[in-house]
Amino acid sequence: MSQVLVASNRGPVSFSFSGDGALIPRRGGGGLVSALAAMTGDVRNPDVLWVCAALGDADRSAARRAPGGRLGLDGHDTGGAAVRMLDIPAATFHRAYNAVANATLWFVHHLMYDTPRAPHFDARTRRDWQSYEAYNAAFADALARDAAPGAKVAIQDYHLSLAPRMLRDRRPDLRIVHFSHTPWAPPEYFRLLPDDIGAAVLDGILGADHAGFLAERWAAAFLDCCEPLPGARVDRAARTVTRAGHVTRVGVHPLGVDGDALRARAAEPDVAERRRALRERVGDRRLILRVDRTEPSKNIVRGLAAYRELLARHPEWHGRVVHLAFAYPSRHDLHEYREYTAQVRRLAGQIADEYGTAAWEPLILEVEDDHPRSLAAYGLADVLVVNPIRDGMNLVAKEGPVLSERGCALVLSREAGAAAELADDALTVNPYDVSQTAEALHRALLMPPDRRAERCARLAAAATALPPRRWFAEQLAALD
Ligand code: G6P
């Protein structure tokens, strides 16, 4: 088997400083890292190298201290891969990650601009863009240096859309896949980007041999965006884009979850302890659960508003239901995210004031990162709400049914990539329609237990159809 290199912004490990300045490693967070850490274990290739960015000062210090820049970590943390952490200057990293990747490309792909906040691309954008180019070049340089002849390279996400082209220019012998973990914007929205930047993003990904997406609709949108690109020939039936003699195949790989690994994790004592605490807090009330990053695209505010409308329209639920909203802090360098989190907290406070009594806590919002607690809550939930305005896949919608003990009903946005596989057994909603979402919550609560259990079993089966290992193996196979 040939050597495999993985490249992503966030790596499988990250460091912090202890009080006395020592480096403490911990597992990197987020869905992308979990999926990739699970999969590198299964490649059964000792020669997997994972290239990622140093995210802060402690990471930079670890990267500098590691011999040759490679961190040898035990297999549990990294899925068996060696890690090379790139020591990218802090200002370059900040502009590439925050200004371009998260505040521009993420916003475009999730249709997150609104009219008062329409983008304003100016000289500063060009400066940020140069940092994004330098950041991508740092990855391409490292990959070009470390890759054996003919190696396979898997480049992840919108942070690294230029790296495939840059790497192909440096090392035409390599076989490259780029994978988008986000939605892809439709062409009329993608056109918001300055022409040169939009063209560079597409051209960058077209440097790969295979461009992977989570759902059919995102792959189709990418092909639509490539259509007007000068020199590009799009063949929709074959799902290829040909440019300057190079063919990029476009593939759909709907990432699922590893049911056995997830159940094994949920059986650990830290989860059991949290399950006991939650049980006590919820009592014999029905439980509506949501688990998200504090991320505007996750649509937490409209979700809470729907719960409020449920309580207003259906007083029969007062005292009989609890809504748990777990929100992991995310991207707080961006003011839009800080503002959004504040908005979520305000609305949660209002609902608690309006409906809470000495005997009944209608809504519990926890803004903190406690993964084992979420796993415990999945087991207890009667209803799981996943209502993003747009989402590449959404793995919460897949993890919940797998860990459900009572057979939970899933209220699911039709705009999540997961809807392509789960819509038949979920209650699907238009994520902007708060009233419809409130009614779906009501119907979910009323669903007879046997029907709920049947549907939940089918959701779990669909959720585990393509576990991370097979998802990754499929992409590597597409390079042969
Ligand atoms: C989510 C998205 C991924 C993205 C990741 C980055 O998981 O679905 O597309 O790569 O966030 O998150 P971060 O916390 O590193 O900004």
Side-chain angles (χ1 to χ4, degrees), residues 9-10 31-32 97 102 106 157-159 181-182 293 331:
N9 172 65
R10 193 179 283 278
L32 181 150
Y97 173 68
N102 287 341
W106 179 274
D157 237 352
Y158 57 100
H159 315 88
H181 294 259
T182 59
R293 289 184 299 111
R331 303 185 193 163

Side-chain angles (χ1 to χ4, degrees), residues 142-156:
L143 293 165
R145 202 171 45 234
D146 283 333
K152 294 179 174 180
V153 185
I155 300 176
Q156 309 302 313

